[in-house]
Amino acid sequence: MRRYSTLFHPCSAEVGLIDDAPQAITLTLGEGDDVELWPGAEDHHAQEAWLEAVEKVLGQARA
């Protein structure tokens, strides 16, 4: 199932991250707009590979 959300005029001061390793990673993208990520891998190396892939994709935005 895909879910979409739109942030209008997001503010960089509202961006945040909570890393509850080895559980969820919570990204705050704007006031009241949190995304909870569960890498889902027992293997630490698999989680790191997933996070590196996310970082690469996000880094391409507005590049």
Side-chain angles (χ1 to χ4, degrees), residues 14-47:
E14 297 172 349
V15 175
L17 174 115
I18 299 171
D19 188 351
D20 288 327
Q23 304 296 318
I25 298 165
T26 304
L27 298 174
T28 300
L29 302 176
E31 186 176 336
D33 195 352
D34 296 337
V35 177
E36 191 172 88
L37 307 171
W38 287 74
E42 298 287 326
D43 179 10
H44 183 70
H45 295 292
Q47 288 184 351

